[in-house]
Amino acid sequence: MSDTHEQGSIFVDSQSYRLPETVIPQRYQIRLTPDLKTFTFAGEETVTVTVREPITEILLNAAELQIHTATLTGADGTPHHATITLDETLERATFRFPQPIAPGSAQLRLTFSGLLNDKLHGFYRSSYKDAHGNDKLLASTQFESTDARRAFPCWDEPAAKAVFQTTLVIDDALTAISNTSIVRETPLPGTGTPGTGKKEVVFADTIKMSTYLMAFIVGEFEGTEPVYVDGAPLRVWAVPGKGHLAKFGQEIGAASLEFFSRYYDYKYPGDKLDLIAIPDFASGAMENLGAITFRETALLVDDTTATRSEMERVADVVAHENAHMWFGDLVTMRWWNGLWLNEAFATFMEMLAVDHCKPEWQRWTSFAVSRAAALLVDGLRSTRPIEFPVRLPAEAAGMFDILTYEKGAAVLRMLEQYLGEEVFRVGISQYLRKHEFANAETTDLWDAIEASARQPVRTLMDTWVFQPGYPMISVTVDQQQVVLTQQIFQYLPNSADADRRWHVPIFLRAKTTSGIHTQTALMTDRELRLSLPAAPEWVVVNAGGHGFYRIRYAQELLNRLTTNVHEKLSAVERFNLVNDTWAATLAGLTPLSTYLAMLKLFREETDHNVWTAIVGSCHYLYRLLNTEQRPALQSFIRALLGPITQRLGWAPQPGEHELLSQLRGELLAALGTIGNDAPTQAEAKTRYHQYKANPSAVDRNVVPALVSILTHIGGTAEYEDFHATTKAAKTPQEEQRYLFALAGFRQPELLERTLKMTLSGEVRTQNAPYLMRSLLLNTDGREHAWAFLKQHWDEMLQQYPDNSIVRMCEGITALVTPTLEADVQQFFASHPVKQGAKTMEQHLEKLRIAVACQQREAATLMNLDTHNR
């Protein structure tokens, strides 16, 4: 029996979304003529197919297209003209032939047309203003997961790999980019009117690949000079006037591509690589083979003015997409349930590459923040396995979440550290060679790594990939033995999940009378006992911080560990200690008072990741408090941050590490906002005016702090300044910084202006949903923003990209009162989110956890003054 999903009054068999395998595409020849004036395109297509059995019809995918003709010509040369039926619900086209078609090779010829839409998927249009303020248009594509069918009729499933040859007919003044190198450009006869000429741009054949990796980009672009990696030219493309921001993106693109070629022991599979910045882009980037498209903030950056975190963002995204050229493009998951094979590996590999290219950034240490974000979601009842069945297109779109990316990458890192880096690398290389130009499943990966490691990897990893959640490891000592016990960690415990078990790689470090003892073991049962040479003075479980689990030490062990904590624990281990204790607090396992007392041990902490965990928990507590309760928390934050911010000051010292500079900015921002520190606010105002007069007078890593503090204390004058700066920004990062600062003001009339901007067209639809999310997260304006969202929900659904709605709704997690929570639950019960239903469920559960914590810790929250001593 197959599952069914209700759509209105019609029940649709989920299996009917999958195409039959009676006809297999081998090679597409696609000719497209986009018209940027009428927002339309015309297409011609010839697909060489293999007919596997006698047929009378062909089914393939098509959506929002008009298919004008369909003709199949078999080996005997006889053309068969089809009748055409389009099914918009199933996004399919059916071609029926008057007589049976015999098995063998055939050619399917189609003509069709479509719209260059404004929804940032399929073949869509993007707009921008040139240096003179003139409106300009370009056309670009975004096909993952199931939107190639909006640009040309195709077998739009990952396993239906084929070769693609593309021809684009465009205005002669424009640039065309696709997946492969240009074979030739040919002028076409024009009308004789200047500026109306056309040209035909013919591209080389691609490797055998999936439809979602195709790309067509047409517009005015300026490109860098190429750099060569393994003989393939790599360029960065941007709209005119932004080419000077391409230098760092190209450098990290070339360095990471070369790194992957060596790591995989496999040459880059494309004939060139273009990195293209698109003004309107729904996601961060897209790994189209040879033609990677990016949101501008993820590729273009001024390396003389950008903050370290902004530079890291570009490096991460570029490396991530380059990693996909092998993991995803060369070898592709068979179906969308295996998406994690693409995205988790690309996330893991981005860390490896950036850590290699920029070792001073200590990227594996900061990955702890991403791992913690995944642990937060995976500790919910509403979590899901990394891999789970996907039937419908909307379910495929919902797979692009933190569990696929960050949890997947985290468990791969855990496996790599357990098996050994070289053993793991060899297994990956063998996997790629065995499945090149084809599709694979999770079991294929484990087979390759098992062959390299010569131990049962599949049994271990199945508990992490096919089972939701993760364990909490409780730690006690019994004389010379460390006793470990695993049980599922959940913020809201569910007895039905209590019996889950994992195969847990344990990394242990202990101090005994004989010195430091290290041990690695695999925990497969509820309890594991590890023997030491003598009774330990202290014990660290999850040494190195690579494990995807939480640790709960017996109180005596915790006391020993936190005495001179900086001498015993590395930065990532200190991060995990803080984060695990905070998680236990939210779960009701540790009193809030105990957590707050522990934070005082970290007043002299200098690792910015540890402070990210601490400051993040303070922001969380801030949301739990009403206006009258906040001064006590503000006082606690000032006492906590005061010593380190006073020592760091406002300006970097000669030879200072850039990570310390980043920490300075982050702590000053917290001190001046949720700490409400008047001297910090006054100094921020002075330094902001200095910055406006002379940008080089202020450390670039402090500038975001100045903006956030002035947002917090500012009024109309500051709002007007930030609004104007958004319009005149010199870089994508500056534009983003000031745009999202508009959501942080506290005056109702200023918040109303920003709310209206989310729907007026003033803010790009790629940014508007996230600006709305920031408004919901503003503790002084969240009720105002929530009322606006409810009132304008239908408009948002119409204007915003489908995949952004659930991300916008993350802002509801800040609506932390029982009354607001009830209203939120009621609203979404009658207004379900189309894409990302599971993620929406997680947002609602996070809100439940926050309200439960608020109620459980009411006494402590009312008496925070006692923690300021």
Side-chain angles (χ1 to χ4, degrees):
M1 179 182 293
S2 62
D3 293 335
T4 56
H5 295 256
E6 188 174 1
Q7 298 193 351
S9 59
I10 303 173
F11 282 87
V12 179
D13 182 350
S14 64
Q15 293 304 309
S16 64
Y17 280 93
R18 300 291 295 271
L19 297 173
E21 298 182 359
T22 53
V23 178
I24 305 298
Q26 303 295 340
R27 184 175 186 271
Y28 292 78
Q29 286 181 278
I30 303 167
R31 179 185 174 92
L32 296 174
T33 305
D35 189 330
L36 294 175
K37 297 182 179 64
T38 61
F39 308 150
T40 60
F41 62 91
E44 304 169 29
E45 177 180 345
T46 300
V47 190
T48 301
V49 300
T50 298
V51 180
R52 303 175 71 180
E53 60 185 64
I55 59 168
T56 57
E57 65 179 25
I58 292 177
L59 275 71
L60 46 67
N61 296 113
E64 300 171 7
L65 294 174
Q66 290 184 323
I67 303 177
H68 307 297
T69 62
T71 303
L72 186 74
T73 303
D76 63 358
T78 303
H80 302 271
H81 302 291
T83 59
I84 303 165
T85 303
L86 297 176
D87 186 329
E88 289 296 333
T89 299
L90 297 180
E91 299 183 344
R92 293 193 317 198
T94 302
F95 305 139
R96 292 188 173 87
F97 301 98
Q99 58 189 32
I101 306 296
S105 180
Q107 288 193 323
L108 177 66
R109 292 184 175 85
L110 308 172
T111 61
F112 56 94
S113 58
L115 296 176
L116 295 172
N117 69 74
D118 60 356
K119 295 289 284 183
L120 311 189
H121 65 193
F123 202 4
Y124 71 89
R125 63 184 186 268
S126 173
S127 64
Y128 64 96
K129 291 186 181 295
D130 65 13
H132 304 291
N134 300 316
D135 291 326
K136 294 285 186 175
L137 288 173
L138 60 85
S140 186
T141 54
Q142 172 58 39
F143 291 159
E144 192 175 28
S145 344
T146 56
D147 290 314
R149 63 192 66 179
R150 287 174 167 77
F152 60 100
C154 56
W155 283 259
D156 201 11
E157 297 181 353
K161 282 193 164 187
V163 173
F164 297 83
Q165 188 279 311
T166 299
T167 298
L168 296 175
V169 178
I170 62 172
D171 293 349
D172 55 14
L174 300 181
T175 296
I177 304 170
S178 190
N179 303 83
T180 51
S181 297
I182 295 174
V183 174
R184 64 179 181 275
E185 286 192 22
T186 306
L188 298 178
T191 62
T193 304
T196 62
K198 296 281 187 181
K199 62 182 177 182
E200 179 185 76
V201 185
V202 179
F203 295 89
D205 281 12
T206 69
I207 64 171
K208 192 175 182 182
M209 67 183 199
S210 304
T211 50
Y212 78 88
L213 297 169
M214 283 296 294
F216 321 122
I217 302 98
V218 175
E220 295 180 28
F221 286 96
E222 58 183 51
T224 62
E225 289 298 314
V227 296
Y228 289 85
V229 178
D230 289 339
L234 185 152
R235 295 179 178 85
V236 175
W237 297 86
V239 297
K242 295 186 177 180
H244 65 289
L245 302 175
K247 178 175 176 288
F248 180 73
Q250 186 173 34
E251 288 175 355
I252 201 70
S256 61
L257 198 70
E258 184 174 2
F259 172 81
F260 294 136
S261 178
R262 304 297 176 264
Y263 182 91
Y264 295 134
D265 191 25
Y266 194 113
K267 184 180 177 181
Y268 167 64
D271 67 352
K272 58 90 178 175
L273 180 58
D274 291 323
L275 313 179
I276 311 116
I278 306 296
D280 293 291
F281 199 80
S283 302
M286 177 60 211
E287 66 268 20
N288 317 299
L289 180 77
I292 304 173
T293 44
F294 294 80
R295 184 178 286 229
E296 289 184 332
T297 53
L299 178 61
L300 305 179
V301 66
D302 184 343
D303 58 6
T304 66
T305 63
T307 67
R308 196 209 66 83
S309 60
E310 290 166 347
M311 298 282 287
E312 182 178 276
R313 165 69 174 162
V314 171
D316 283 355
V317 177
V318 171
H320 181 101
E321 302 309 321
N322 277 356
H324 272 306
M325 300 300 102
W326 290 264
F327 256 97
D329 295 9
L330 177 68
V331 180
T332 312
M333 71 272 157
R334 194 175 307 279
W335 182 244
W336 296 108
N337 61 292
L339 178 70
W340 86 279
L341 285 172
N342 287 13
E343 298 301 346
F345 257 95
T347 304
F348 169 81
M349 291 304 302
E350 107 193 24
M351 295 294 111
L352 275 182
V354 175
D355 190 58
H356 172 81
C357 299
K358 291 285 185 179
E360 67 275 17
W361 286 357
Q362 301 171 22
R363 199 63 188 89
W364 277 120
T365 300
S366 59
F367 180 67
V369 178
S370 299
R371 185 191 294 112
L375 287 165
L376 170 61
V377 173
D378 208 30
L380 303 175
R381 286 185 177 185
S382 53
T383 189
R384 62 163 179 83
I386 292 175
E387 180 170 329
F388 72 100
V390 173
R391 298 176 180 86
L392 311 182
E395 292 175 345
M399 289 283 287
F400 294 85
D401 65 1
I402 197 167
L403 298 173
T404 293
Y405 287 71
E406 277 75 14
K407 181 183 177 181
V411 298
L412 288 172
R413 176 64 168 175
M414 179 172 65
L415 178 65
E416 179 219 35
Q417 292 297 297
Y418 176 67
L419 297 177
E421 295 177 5
E422 181 60 16
V423 168
F424 184 84
R425 188 200 66 78
V426 170
I428 297 307
S429 179
Q430 291 173 351
Y431 166 83
L432 291 172
R433 291 191 178 280
K434 183 173 182 179
H435 300 284
E436 60 183 352
F437 311 117
N439 299 85
E441 297 186 18
T442 297
T443 52
D444 298 316
L445 177 62
W446 302 151
D447 288 344
I449 298 178
E450 280 187 354
S452 175
R454 298 184 179 181
Q455 54 180 295
V457 172
R458 183 183 304 185
T459 304
L460 186 165
M461 291 304 290
D462 280 356
T463 67
W464 296 96
V465 173
F466 297 107
Q467 178 175 235
Y470 56 87
M472 177 177 66
I473 310 296
S474 297
V475 185
T476 60
V477 169
D478 181 7
Q479 299 181 1
Q480 294 179 219
Q481 288 189 322
V482 178
V483 183
L484 308 178
T485 307
Q486 67 161 300
Q487 65 184 82
I488 188 170
F489 176 89
Q490 290 180 318
Y491 293 97
L492 303 174
N494 183 358
S495 59
D497 300 329
D499 292 333
R500 286 186 196 157
R501 297 288 181 266
W502 288 261
H503 287 202
V504 186
I506 296 294
F507 309 92
L508 180 139
R509 186 174 73 250
K511 172 71 179 298
T512 71
T513 54
S514 62
I516 301 296
H517 176 83
T518 61
Q519 188 172 346
T520 301
L522 186 64
M523 183 180 192
T524 58
D525 296 321
R526 182 177 181 274
E527 181 178 288
L528 175 68
R529 288 175 173 260
L530 299 176
S531 296
L532 299 175
E537 296 179 22
W538 49 261
V539 175
V540 179
V541 181
N542 198 12
H546 306 298
F548 192 80
Y549 44 85
R550 297 197 186 278
I551 303 298
R552 192 176 189 209
Y553 294 98
Q555 189 59 51
E556 182 183 356
L557 288 175
L558 183 62
N559 292 342
R560 294 182 198 172
L561 201 57
T562 54
T563 302
N564 301 320
V565 65
H566 290 79
E567 298 177 7
K568 297 168 184 170
L569 300 183
S570 67
V572 69
E573 291 164 354
R574 298 195 302 275
F575 175 94
N576 285 347
L577 179 63
V578 172
N579 186 252
D580 288 351
T581 307
W582 172 242
T585 300
L586 292 182
L589 301 174
T590 297
L592 175 59
S593 57
T594 301
Y595 175 74
L596 295 176
M598 189 186 77
L599 292 188
K600 296 177 183 180
L601 302 174
F602 294 90
R603 283 175 170 160
E604 297 298 326
E605 176 65 56
T606 57
D607 181 78
H608 82 95
N609 303 293
V610 177
W611 277 111
T612 295
I614 295 171
V615 172
S617 67
C618 291
H619 275 284
Y620 192 101
L621 292 174
Y622 197 83
R623 294 188 192 118
L624 303 187
L625 302 175
N626 59 40
T627 305
E628 292 74 24
Q629 295 172 318
R630 289 177 192 163
L633 178 63
Q634 292 166 348
S635 179
F636 175 83
I637 291 170
R638 290 195 295 270
L640 185 64
L641 302 186
I644 183 66
T645 52
Q646 187 172 11
R647 183 153 66 89
L648 291 175
W650 285 83
Q653 300 302 310
E656 178 181 281
H657 199 291
E658 195 173 8
L659 293 176
L660 201 60
S661 176
Q662 179 180 352
L663 174 63
R664 174 184 295 107
E666 292 170 353
L667 294 185
L668 288 170
L671 190 59
T673 54
I674 58 173
N676 201 32
D677 185 60
T680 300
Q681 293 168 347
E683 183 68 17
K685 197 165 189 177
T686 298
R687 289 182 179 265
Y688 181 74
H689 292 307
Q690 294 173 352
Y691 169 73
K692 294 293 282 189
N694 178 18
S696 63
V698 175
D699 177 30
R700 57 184 174 178
N701 288 301
V702 170
V703 173
L706 304 183
V707 173
S708 62
I709 293 170
L710 263 67
T711 298
H712 186 75
I713 65 173
T716 303
E718 288 78 12
Y719 187 95
E720 297 294 353
D721 176 22
F722 290 7
H723 185 262
T725 305
T726 297
K727 303 300 181 186
K730 296 179 181 179
T731 68
Q733 290 75 23
E734 184 182 33
E735 177 186 5
Q736 188 112 327
R737 181 184 305 148
Y738 284 93
L739 172 63
F740 284 89
L742 299 180
F745 284 85
R746 298 193 286 172
Q747 296 83 348
E749 66 277 10
L750 299 180
L751 291 172
E752 180 66 18
R753 285 180 60 181
T754 308
L755 285 165
K756 289 180 178 177
M757 286 170 57
T758 64
L759 289 170
S760 66
E762 182 178 349
V763 178
R764 293 182 183 276
T765 56
Q766 69 170 7
N767 293 325
Y770 304 99
L771 185 61
M772 187 67 215
R773 177 177 65 184
S774 296
L775 287 156
L776 287 165
L777 292 171
N778 181 336
T779 50
D780 293 292
R782 54 191 172 187
E783 293 187 46
H784 188 172
W786 172 239
F788 184 90
L789 181 145
K790 290 188 293 181
Q791 182 181 355
H792 298 280
W793 178 253
D794 290 340
E795 295 170 67
M796 293 175 182
L797 293 182
Q798 185 175 4
Q799 290 190 29
Y800 298 164
D802 290 341
N803 67 351
S804 70
I805 299 298
V806 73
R807 295 169 186 172
M808 172 184 74
C809 290
E810 184 183 12
I812 67 168
T813 59
L815 301 175
V816 192
T817 72
T819 302
L820 284 172
E821 182 195 12
D823 190 34
V824 168
Q825 293 279 2
Q826 183 178 10
F827 179 81
F828 286 108
S830 57
H831 298 81
V833 175
K834 176 183 176 183
Q835 283 190 10
K838 174 58 72 173
T839 303
M840 195 66 224
E841 189 181 348
Q842 292 161 2
H843 294 336
L844 295 170
E845 187 177 349
K846 288 180 187 177
L847 178 57
R848 174 86 292 272
I849 292 166
V851 173
C853 180
Q854 182 186 61
Q855 294 170 329
R856 184 179 61 249
E857 297 287 357
T860 302
L861 293 171
M862 288 291 291
N863 296 282
L864 285 171
D865 284 326
T866 61
H867 295 278
N868 295 327
R869 299 167 190 162

